[in-house]
Amino acid sequence: MPQDPTERRVVVTGAPRRTLPHARLRSRGRYPQASGHYRPRTEIDEQTTLGHTYVRSLMRSQLRVAITVFAVLVLLVGPLPLVFAAMPDGATLEWAVLGFCVYPPLVLLARWYVRRAERNEKDFVRLVEDR
């Protein structure tokens, strides 16, 4: 398709957009006032692809922490039946192992998990709130 040499491509530019596409909804009070750019919270509220990506990143980080805790738990508690079976007659030793060798690491593991999950959520809120 030959192009006419007199026709030229024209670059069309305009003033930068100062409002969001949903300005009509903002005027009704359904969304906070626009600050000139999209905020991550708006992306999440409007369920856009970017908002979905933000939420998935939080879910992935929480899942990573949960899998780590589960792996440590399996390594800590999994071999206990083998250890107890290897003991000839150690009923009192079994209780000592359960009371002093298993529960303190479980408490520390639970504490680490809660702190890590809260930190992930705090980082996510900081990202979303644009702080």
Side-chain angles (χ1 to χ4, degrees):
M1 193 187 286
Q3 207 174 28
D4 188 17
T6 59
E7 291 182 30
R8 285 186 25 204
R9 287 186 155 181
V10 178
V11 178
V12 178
T13 59
R17 194 179 248 192
R18 299 265 185 233
T19 62
L20 298 172
H22 299 289
R24 189 175 76 236
L25 295 175
R26 291 190 189 290
S27 66
R28 294 181 189 160
R30 289 184 61 191
Y31 294 105
Q33 290 299 319
S35 61
H37 65 280
Y38 272 121
R39 296 178 61 184
R41 185 175 195 164
T42 306
E43 297 287 340
I44 293 169
D45 288 343
E46 294 178 0
Q47 296 180 354
T48 62
T49 305
L50 182 59
H52 181 68
T53 304
Y54 283 132
V55 172
R56 278 193 68 190
S57 72
L58 173 65
M59 290 171 56
R60 259 191 246 137
S61 64
Q62 297 290 52
L63 180 64
R64 192 176 310 121
V65 172
I67 289 174
T68 302
V69 168
F70 181 72
V72 171
L73 183 66
V74 166
L75 291 175
L76 182 67
V77 177
L80 284 180
L82 298 175
V83 170
F84 294 153
M87 292 182 194
D89 186 32
T92 57
L93 188 59
E94 289 175 4
W95 284 106
V97 167
L98 286 174
F100 297 108
C101 297
V102 175
Y103 285 122
L106 284 179
V107 169
L108 292 175
L109 189 64
R111 184 175 178 204
W112 179 82
Y113 174 76
V114 169
R115 291 182 66 172
R116 184 65 187 220
E118 287 176 349
R119 185 171 65 177
N120 285 342
E121 290 172 2
K122 192 182 306 181
D123 291 344
F124 179 75
V125 167
R126 193 175 303 129
L127 173 72
V128 169
E129 295 296 325
D130 217 12
R131 292 182 190 170

